[in-house]
Amino acid sequence: YAGTFHSLGAKILRKHAPLAQLPFDFVIYDSHDQKELIKAILKQSNFSDKKFSPGSILHYISQAKQELLPPVQYAQIAKGYFQELVAQIYSKYQRKLFENYALDFDDLLMKTIELLQSQPQIQKFYSELFKYILIDEYQDTNFAQYLFTNLLANKHKNITIVGDASQSIYSWRGANIQNINQFKKDFQNTKTYLLERNYRSS
């Protein structure tokens, strides 16, 4: 199987939807759908989408989901007026997604991880299924992707990652450089192969 973290999450959720408390035909919201939903929630809450950018609110919600923080937990750590507003919107946003039988992009991982952690037999099935795992650009993975990887690889521990800590450029998008730095601690007897020749240019 080849795919992104999110496509694999979607595949697992489709197969085990009832155990994830989802319908089989759940829909996946794209960025336009998400922004329209945030605008509707702002309007219902008597806030202006001109004063509070739906994109900025979604950025904070996305960061929370990448750290696997549901609305209640995010509200506990929210600091300042804007984050407290985001916490309110986040809670309403998740409720609306649930009512619309919808997930957003970050939910595809968050919900899959919740499923694997709450259903040991499902986690066991997939960790046995994936005997060998290869992940590219590992320096750009976030916490959710890191935990998803560990849940899938904890049976066989046959995992290869490709990455370069010096090329981590997506911290603004939730990438955690510690994922690659601590890989040798997470998986014992790791062998490192340095690709030191430049094949991209003369």
Side-chain angles (χ1 to χ4, degrees), residues 12-24:
I12 292 173
L13 289 174
R14 292 281 185 205
K15 186 172 182 179
H16 308 283
L19 290 175
Q21 299 180 331
L22 294 167
F24 284 110

Side-chain angles (χ1 to χ4, degrees), residues 156-196:
H156 300 290
K157 302 188 187 301
N158 292 322
I159 178 168
T160 299
I161 64 165
V162 182
D164 181 352
S166 66
Q167 292 190 39
S168 181
I169 59 173
Y170 290 111
S171 59
W172 59 273
R173 204 171 64 184
N176 186 348
I177 191 66
Q178 294 307 315
N179 293 353
I180 194 169
N181 287 340
Q182 69 183 31
F183 184 81
K184 291 182 179 180
K185 294 180 181 178
D186 293 332
F187 297 94
Q188 301 299 315
N189 303 316
T190 294
K191 293 181 180 179
T192 302
Y193 299 89
L194 299 178
L195 307 180
E196 297 178 306

Side-chain angles (χ1 to χ4, degrees), residues 131-179:
K131 293 180 180 179
Y132 301 94
I133 296 173
L134 167 65
I135 301 175
D136 195 14
E137 304 289 6
Y138 196 73
Q139 78 277 356
D140 292 328
T141 54
N142 58 40
F143 177 67
Q145 293 166 336
Y146 165 81
L147 185 55
F148 189 27
T149 297
N150 284 13
L151 287 168
L152 294 179
N154 71 350
K155 169 70 175 178
H156 300 290
K157 302 188 187 301
N158 292 322
I159 178 168
T160 299
I161 64 165
V162 182
D164 181 352
S166 66
Q167 292 190 39
S168 181
I169 59 173
Y170 290 111
S171 59
W172 59 273
R173 204 171 64 184
N176 186 348
I177 191 66
Q178 294 307 315
N179 293 353

Side-chain angles (χ1 to χ4, degrees), residues 18-172:
L19 290 175
Q21 299 180 331
L22 294 167
F24 284 110
D25 59 346
F26 67 84
V27 297
I28 301 171
Y29 275 18
D30 61 18
S31 59
H32 175 75
D33 298 323
Q34 290 177 270
K35 286 182 179 179
E36 289 302 308
L37 180 54
I38 293 293
K39 286 180 181 179
I41 293 170
L42 285 170
K43 187 175 181 180
Q44 291 171 3
S45 305
N46 295 317
F47 291 112
S48 169
D49 61 10
K50 299 292 188 290
K51 183 176 181 181
F52 300 103
S53 163
S56 296
I57 292 171
L58 281 169
H59 175 73
Y60 277 82
I61 291 175
S62 178
Q63 285 189 322
K65 290 185 177 186
Q66 289 172 19
E67 292 297 317
L68 304 179
L69 294 172
V72 173
Q73 289 185 22
Y74 181 77
Q76 293 171 351
I77 64 169
K79 294 180 180 179
Y81 179 75
F82 184 71
Q83 287 189 15
E84 289 172 0
L85 171 67
V86 170
Q88 295 178 41
I89 301 298
Y90 183 12
S91 180
K92 295 176 182 178
Y93 174 76
Q94 285 305 106
R95 195 178 309 124
K96 285 293 185 182
L97 286 177
F98 180 78
E99 291 172 359
N100 295 335
Y101 306 113
L103 300 180
D104 66 17
F105 201 58
D106 294 302
D107 283 329
L108 295 175
L109 284 189
M110 194 170 182
K111 290 292 185 183
T112 303
I113 290 169
E114 288 176 5
L115 172 68
L116 295 176
Q117 289 180 326
S118 65
Q119 303 292 333
Q121 75 282 11
I122 302 297
Q123 191 269 329
K124 182 173 182 288
F125 172 80
Y126 285 102
S127 65
E128 289 180 348
L129 176 66
F130 293 106
K131 293 180 180 179
Y132 301 94
I133 296 173
L134 167 65
I135 301 175
D136 195 14
E137 304 289 6
Y138 196 73
Q139 78 277 356
D140 292 328
T141 54
N142 58 40
F143 177 67
Q145 293 166 336
Y146 165 81
L147 185 55
F148 189 27
T149 297
N150 284 13
L151 287 168
L152 294 179
N154 71 350
K155 169 70 175 178
H156 300 290
K157 302 188 187 301
N158 292 322
I159 178 168
T160 299
I161 64 165
V162 182
D164 181 352
S166 66
Q167 292 190 39
S168 181
I169 59 173
Y170 290 111
S171 59
W172 59 273

